């Protein structure tokens, strides 16, 4: 699971109002190189929840990879280094083992072999 | 013992079903009925490698939809199966989900970004995706409320202006001989062949009611759909006329009585067999268990373990009718192709 995916996952347990972002508990993760696509990155930037992305990157110890505050999109157009760091955080960090925890209920969704399982139990739907 | 289980399961199903009719978006819509667990989820988990090995041809209509999306688009494939459409347009980012962990494992081995989730309750933020696809998924959902909920989810997770492509098997199959190889559900139930959890809802008033649109504003305007009409054996004039009778009586405010007294339209609930060759089944211990549990049987003549997959095959106009009650979904296009009904929606 990449951080881009994490950025759009939400807990949909019945009655949960603040199921986003899921807290990432990474036990094992890897970095894999992915083709750099500036057009794709600039296109997706406005959709990204910046604090959630920064928070998840920090959970791997990437404390200085991204600025705390979301950069202006014009900066993303001119600053190639920033765009590459954004690319790395978004697409090149893969969580292999761990969990995703609902901020409201504490329910933990497991991640095994890189695959999050977000199926709900019968009493959660 | 077995008999009492049968009764309980069947009555449970009936109960939840009538609740769905009253409140189509109630929470229990998300609870998976037994019939889907046993005859969809379990089957796909058991046949996943064989299923995947036979599913590689990409459908041109889906391909052209995916190719029409802008670079950088996020595409959500809800019910992605073996992931054959994931990564199709390399300028886009795909996330696939399926309820079958076995199929998702296959996708992950191909390096696709995937997760295990239920199409009736997608674990995504609202308004994020640029497009969503549901290819051959909705026909595995066993109630109209669940089929509608799955469409609502597809619409929910895409942004305003985002598009959704849905394809489902049509009851009007181009190769009509296929239908004779399928098992209409009610008949099998009557023969006592299937396990007790298969409810005998096929010919009941409850099912007929479910086929009536819950939001009735547009239920008489079937004109947009009728241009795709064509004659087909096995879906003759009688079935069609009855469709019209139902629509008309609903619009006139005549409800349950008139509807339940009309004869059932063409059967849409089927078991469709999947033949898992013995050499495939042997490496997969789940087949032995499935045979022992009565969820599969051996066919020595064909040298295969036969699983039954539950299908609700769609009739002409049915997809459009499901969408009618979803206020932020506009129909862009609908068509019939290769024995499938298809619809493209745009979020308003």
């Amino acid at each position: 699971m990449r951080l881009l995916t994490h950025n759009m996952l939400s807990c949909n347990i019945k009655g949960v109002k603040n199921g986003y972002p899921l807290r990432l508990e990474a036990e094992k993760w890897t970095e894999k190189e992915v083709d750099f696509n500036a057009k794709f990155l600039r296109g997706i930037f406005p959709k990204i929840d910046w604090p959630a992305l920064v928070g998840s990157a920090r959970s791997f110890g990437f404390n200085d990879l991204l600025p705390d505050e979301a950069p202006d999109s014009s900066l993303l157009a001119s600053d190639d280094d920033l765009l590459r760091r954004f690319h790395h955080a978004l697409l090149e960090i893969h969580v292999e083992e761990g969990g995703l925890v609902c901020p409201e209920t504490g329910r933990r969704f497991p991640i095994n072999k890189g695959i999050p399982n977000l199926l709900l139990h019968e009493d959660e739907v | 013992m077995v008999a009492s289980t049968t009764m309980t399961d069947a009555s449970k199903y009936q109960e939840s079903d009538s609740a769905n009719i009253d409140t189509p978006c109630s929470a229990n819509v998300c609870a998976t009925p037994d019939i889907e667990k046993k005859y969809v989820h379990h089957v796909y988990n058991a046949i996943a490698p064989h299923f995947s090995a036979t599913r590689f041809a990409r459908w041109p209509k889906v391909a052209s939809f995916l190719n029409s999306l802008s670079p950088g688009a996020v595409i959500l494939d809800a019910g992605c199966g073996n992931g054959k459409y994931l990564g199709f347009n390399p300028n886009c980012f795909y996330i696939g989900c399926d309820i079958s962990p076995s199929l998702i494992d296959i996708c992950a081995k191909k390096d696709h970004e995937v997760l295990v989730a239920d199409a009736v309750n997608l674990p995504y933020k609202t308004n994020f995706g640029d497009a969503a696809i549901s290819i051959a998924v909705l026909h595995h959902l066993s109630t109209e409320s669940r089929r509608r909920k799955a469409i609502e989810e597809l619409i929910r997770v895409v942004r305003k202006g985002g598009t959704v492509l849905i394809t489902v098997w049509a009851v009007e199959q181009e190769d009509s001989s296929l239908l004779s190889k399928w098992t209409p559900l009610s008949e099998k139930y009557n023969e006592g062949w299937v396990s007790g959890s298969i409810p005998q809802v096929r010919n009941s008033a409850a099912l007929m009611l479910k086929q009536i649109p819950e939001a009735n504003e547009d239920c008489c305007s079937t004109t947009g759909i009728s241009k795709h009409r064509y004659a087909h054996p096995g879906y003759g004039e009688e079935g069609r006329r009855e469709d019209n009778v139902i629509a008309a009586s609903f619009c006139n405010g005549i409800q349950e009585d008139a509807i339940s007294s009309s004869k059932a339209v063409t059967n849409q609930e089927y078991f469709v067999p999947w033949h898992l060759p013995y050499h495939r089944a042997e490496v997969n211990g789940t087949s032995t268990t499935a045979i022992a549990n009565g969820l599969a049987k051996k066919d020595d003549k064909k040298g295969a373990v036969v699983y039954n997959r539950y299908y609700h095959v769609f009739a002409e106009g049915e997809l459009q009718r499901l969408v009618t009650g979803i206020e932020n979904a506009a129909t862009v296009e609908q068509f019939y192709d290769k024995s499938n009904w298809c619809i493209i929606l745009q979020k308003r």
Side-chain angles (χ1 to χ4, degrees):
Chain A
M1 186 201 70
R2 306 189 228 200
L3 299 193
L4 171 50
T5 304
H6 170 260
N7 210 266
M8 62 177 300
L9 290 179
S10 177
C11 173
N12 284 346
I13 291 175
K14 181 184 170 190
V16 165
K17 292 200 167 60
N18 299 303
Y20 183 88
L22 295 166
R23 194 174 75 245
L24 186 53
E25 293 178 348
E27 288 152 18
K28 191 182 156 199
W29 53 276
T30 56
E31 288 168 272
K32 292 182 200 165
E33 204 173 314
V34 174
D35 289 344
F36 181 77
N37 184 336
K39 206 171 177 183
F40 169 79
L41 293 165
R42 288 188 192 112
I44 203 159
F45 171 74
K47 292 170 175 242
I48 294 298
D49 184 292
W50 195 263
L53 180 65
V54 171
S56 57
R58 291 216 168 126
S59 68
F60 303 94
F62 288 102
N63 295 327
D64 304 318
L65 186 63
L66 300 169
D68 280 350
E69 298 287 318
D72 192 86
S73 57
S74 64
L75 193 64
L76 218 60
S78 59
D79 186 340
D80 189 59
D81 179 58
L82 176 64
L83 198 61
R84 284 187 184 273
R85 282 183 281 138
F86 178 55
H87 166 76
H88 187 63
L90 208 59
L91 300 171
E92 296 189 320
I93 301 170
H94 292 248
V95 184
E96 297 294 336
E97 302 290 330
L100 295 161
V101 180
C102 169
E104 189 170 312
T105 62
R107 160 78 142 91
R108 189 176 192 269
F109 299 95
I111 303 171
N112 298 119
K113 294 182 198 163
I115 304 167
N117 185 331
L118 288 122
L119 277 184
L120 300 179
H121 301 139
E122 282 190 1
D123 59 354
E124 294 173 329
V125 296
Chain B
M1 185 68 188
V2 172
S4 78
T5 310
T6 303
M7 289 300 292
T8 313
D9 280 3
S11 58
K12 243 193 254 168
Y13 187 96
Q14 293 280 19
E15 244 174 64
S16 70
D17 233 287
S18 50
N20 288 350
I21 291 165
D22 295 330
T23 51
C25 293
S26 67
N28 69 359
V29 169
C30 296
T32 310
D34 263 6
I35 187 170
E36 293 174 35
K37 286 183 192 163
K38 287 182 180 169
Y39 297 98
V40 181
H41 308 174
H42 176 272
V43 177
Y44 280 105
N45 282 332
I47 69 172
H50 182 232
F51 175 82
S52 180
T54 58
R55 289 293 175 282
F56 46 83
R58 293 186 181 104
W59 196 36
K61 294 279 187 181
V62 180
S64 67
F65 174 82
L66 294 175
N67 281 330
S68 73
L69 301 168
S70 318
V74 172
I75 301 165
L76 305 170
D77 188 344
C80 64
N82 69 336
K84 68 176 177 177
Y85 292 110
L86 301 176
F88 181 77
N89 174 350
N91 290 316
C92 300
F93 186 79
Y94 294 76
I95 300 177
C97 74
D98 203 285
I99 205 161
S100 162
S102 305
L103 285 169
I104 285 299
D105 278 346
I106 289 170
C107 298
K109 284 187 180 126
K110 299 180 201 165
D111 265 345
H112 293 310
E113 187 75 359
V114 285
L115 43 105
V116 180
D118 188 347
V120 176
N121 192 3
L122 292 172
Y124 304 130
K125 278 204 300 193
T126 301
N127 299 327
F128 193 96
D130 295 288
I133 58 174
S134 166
I135 310 300
V137 176
L138 296 192
H139 52 223
H140 285 314
L141 300 176
S142 61
T143 69
E144 176 154 323
S145 308
R146 286 172 61 72
R147 295 186 282 271
R148 178 180 286 112
K149 177 67 163 53
I151 299 176
E152 286 170 351
E153 281 292 86
L154 293 164
I155 290 290
R156 178 183 70 79
V157 298
V158 298
R159 63 173 166 83
K160 200 174 165 189
T163 47
V164 172
L165 168 66
I166 301 168
T167 80
V168 291
W169 280 19
V171 69
E172 305 88 346
Q173 290 287 307
E174 280 174 4
D175 175 5
S176 61
S177 68
L178 270 180
L179 270 88
S180 65
K181 294 173 185 161
W182 300 350
T183 310
L185 264 183
S186 53
E187 287 177 27
K188 275 297 182 190
Y189 181 84
N190 290 337
E191 288 166 20
W193 181 81
V194 296
S195 80
S197 64
I198 302 303
Q200 188 182 7
V201 294
R202 181 56 216 141
N203 294 319
S204 74
L207 189 73
M208 296 302 293
L209 250 186
K210 277 198 304 158
Q211 295 180 337
I212 304 303
E214 279 141 347
N216 63 350
E217 311 87 84
D218 288 331
C219 73
C220 290
S221 62
T222 53
T223 43
I225 299 146
S226 57
K227 66 182 173 191
H228 296 291
R229 284 240 157 127
Y230 58 94
H232 193 284
Y235 189 71
E237 275 310 306
E238 191 180 345
R240 194 152 295 151
R241 193 168 60 242
E242 300 234 341
D243 268 354
N244 294 340
V245 167
I246 290 167
S249 58
F250 191 79
C251 293
N252 290 335
I254 305 163
Q255 297 199 7
E256 285 178 57
D257 292 347
I259 293 158
S260 57
S261 65
S262 69
K263 264 166 49 189
V265 292
T266 309
N267 196 358
Q268 289 179 252
E269 314 294 318
Y270 287 95
F271 274 163
V272 178
W274 182 273
H275 295 91
L276 185 65
Y278 282 159
H279 70 272
R280 289 267 187 188
E282 278 160 13
V283 297
N284 189 341
T286 49
S287 287
T288 317
T289 320
I291 292 165
N293 293 339
L295 291 175
K297 56 183 180 179
K298 290 169 84 172
D299 183 338
D300 285 331
K301 229 162 145 185
K302 288 185 171 153
V305 178
V306 186
Y307 282 88
N308 276 313
R309 290 175 295 162
Y310 167 80
Y311 274 79
H312 166 88
V313 286
F314 279 64
E316 182 177 17
E318 191 173 342
L319 268 178
Q320 176 59 47
R321 210 179 54 210
L322 279 177
V323 170
T324 300
I326 305 173
E327 55 184 39
N328 55 352
T331 302
V332 175
E333 194 188 345
Q334 49 188 317
F335 51 96
Y336 173 92
D337 194 32
K338 294 191 167 68
S339 301
N340 285 263
W341 288 112
C342 314
I343 197 163
I344 296 175
L345 306 172
Q346 183 164 41
K347 185 168 183 173
R348 285 199 270 244

